[in-house]
Amino acid sequence: MTEKTLSQTKYSVLDLAPVTEGGTPADSFKNSVDLAQHAERWGFNRYWMAEHHNMPFIASSATSIAISHVLHHTDSIRVGSGGVMLPNHAPLVVAEQFGTLETLFPGRVDLGLGRAPGTDQLTAGALRRNLESDPNEFPEQLEELRGYFAGENRIHAVPGEGLNVPIWLLGSSGFSAQLAGQLGLPFSFASHFSPNNTEGALRLYRQQFRPSDVLDEPYVMVGVNVIAADTDEEAEYLATSLQQQFLNLVRNTNMLLQPPVENMEDVWTPREKLALMQQLGSSIIGSKETVRAKLESFLQETEADEMMVISQIYDHDKRLRSYEIISEIMNT
């Protein structure tokens, strides 16, 4: 097999619409539009937003509306969900929402789907009104959703029916990897928070893959945290905001995205540090030269067709600079 190179690999953006300490969700959406416009100019392939609930530091809970906002302020970049958590919604509603987006912005909309709730159990109950919806019912929900787009259901999704909205399956374990392979759908793996499962899930997807009307061969996108700056030292400093975010999740302390700190040893315990290093083990942090070398290594390990980059950085200008550095790497 010929080794893939960074220049042959597509790059995309995952935006969690971070709400920073001292900022508001309105600021987050303004920053999302600005980042998407820059990403479009810099040659990124797609721009995805994620559904999370009851997390004060993430503003993109009404994901389809946030996607629409970005679509209205960009011209060509693909925009979609990374992902919509299907168990939280009636498949008909998802078909109508993304059918509407595809009708308004033809050929620019992606529908990435996850089977996790994207929140805690109490909030999941508030979203669904009950918890009878079992994540193991995800294949049936997916079949119903695809049926609306294909016009195979008794009920018609308008807009939606007859439209080609590309569906991706997202996962952090083997379940969605196997299902995506069996259905011949593209697969996106959340290596940015589940690095230890990456190799096994991608192998399972490729082993289980069956050609379909959608794909002739497997297509893998891998999420990866990248904190790039002009020096290694600055990047390590900026990355402490990401580390604090995951630490607050571990501690179950609902805090906005925090500014960077000089020394994380003053913030976490040795046990917490060990746990976070396991979860953030695939993160790529450093200068352009460091990031390039680590991306090349990551690409050879995963053989990804596309990388979806998450730069969770407190300062918006520094966040833009991180993606700019990535664009310089991918365009040389």
Side-chain angles (χ1 to χ4, degrees):
M1 179 181 292
T2 304
E3 285 193 354
K4 295 180 179 177
T5 65
L6 292 178
S7 62
Q8 296 170 328
T9 306
K10 293 180 179 178
Y11 288 78
S12 294
V13 176
L14 178 61
D15 176 18
L16 299 181
V19 185
T20 60
E21 186 67 41
T24 66
D27 297 325
S28 301
F29 294 134
K30 180 180 178 182
N31 290 340
S32 290
V33 166
D34 189 43
L35 175 56
Q37 290 172 339
H38 278 86
E40 186 171 77
R41 290 198 295 271
W42 289 332
F44 285 85
N45 189 43
R46 61 186 98 236
Y47 191 98
W48 280 7
M49 306 184 82
E51 177 186 350
H52 292 277
H53 301 277
N54 198 32
M55 293 184 180
F57 61 92
I58 296 177
S60 51
S61 55
T63 315
S64 61
I65 299 175
I67 290 168
S68 177
H69 184 59
V70 171
L71 282 163
H72 275 92
H73 289 86
T74 50
D75 297 317
S76 58
I77 193 169
R78 298 193 66 89
V79 186
S81 58
V84 160
M85 301 302 144
L86 189 54
N88 294 342
H89 309 278
L92 175 60
V93 172
V94 176
E96 290 172 339
Q97 289 177 347
F98 280 79
T100 299
L101 292 172
E102 176 65 21
T103 301
L104 292 170
F105 302 95
R108 292 187 57 204
V109 177
D110 294 325
L111 175 51
L113 298 169
R115 70 184 189 101
T119 189
D120 57 88
Q121 287 298 301
L122 182 64
T123 307
L127 284 164
R128 306 175 198 173
R129 311 312 302 165
N130 63 67
L131 289 177
E132 292 179 6
S133 177
D134 185 340
N136 292 321
E137 296 174 357
F138 181 76
E140 289 76 20
Q141 295 170 324
L142 175 61
E143 182 180 10
E144 180 183 346
L145 173 60
R146 297 182 76 192
Y148 288 122
F149 288 121
E152 297 171 348
N153 298 346
R154 293 179 61 189
I155 297 170
H156 304 281
V158 182
E161 188 171 302
L163 296 180
N164 178 25
V165 179
I167 290 178
W168 293 66
L169 295 195
L170 281 55
S172 57
S173 64
F175 186 98
S176 291
Q178 183 172 357
L179 183 61
Q182 292 171 347
L183 296 177
L185 294 174
F187 177 60
S188 180
F189 186 80
S191 187
H192 57 293
F193 67 80
S194 188
N196 293 335
N197 293 332
T198 304
E199 182 181 350
L202 297 187
R203 186 189 318 115
L204 182 61
Y205 169 66
R206 289 171 173 134
Q207 288 174 345
Q208 293 288 321
F209 185 84
R210 302 171 188 167
S212 68
D213 293 340
V214 178
L215 289 176
D216 293 327
E217 55 188 29
Y219 192 94
V220 167
M221 179 160 63
V222 181
V224 57
N225 295 306
V226 180
I227 309 293
D230 292 323
T231 66
D232 288 341
E233 292 74 20
E234 183 185 9
E236 294 286 351
Y237 172 68
L238 296 176
T240 61
S241 293
L242 172 66
Q243 293 162 353
Q244 290 177 83
Q245 173 191 299
F246 273 79
L247 181 60
N248 287 325
L249 286 172
V250 169
R251 292 176 174 176
N252 197 28
T253 52
N254 283 328
M255 299 177 68
L256 303 182
L257 186 66
Q258 297 296 300
V261 295
E262 292 292 344
N263 187 2
M264 281 298 295
E265 302 300 331
D266 298 332
V267 181
W268 55 26
T269 67
R271 190 170 186 173
E272 288 172 335
K273 178 181 179 180
L274 181 62
L276 262 70
M277 290 302 98
Q278 288 280 330
Q279 196 164 27
L280 298 175
S282 67
S283 298
I284 293 174
I285 301 165
S287 64
K288 183 193 291 188
E289 294 72 22
T290 301
V291 168
R292 185 195 303 276
K294 290 182 177 180
L295 279 175
E296 286 175 344
S297 176
F298 187 69
L299 178 62
Q300 300 314 317
E301 292 170 6
T302 62
E303 297 181 356
D305 301 288
E306 189 166 346
M307 293 188 192
M308 179 152 276
V309 176
I310 306 97
S311 290
Q312 196 75 331
I313 296 173
Y314 176 82
D315 182 275
H316 179 62
D317 289 337
K318 298 294 186 182
R319 188 175 177 221
L320 286 179
R321 178 58 183 148
S322 181
Y323 281 106
E324 183 180 27
I325 289 171
I326 295 161
S327 75
E328 292 168 357
I329 292 171
M330 72 185 195
N331 288 316
T332 56

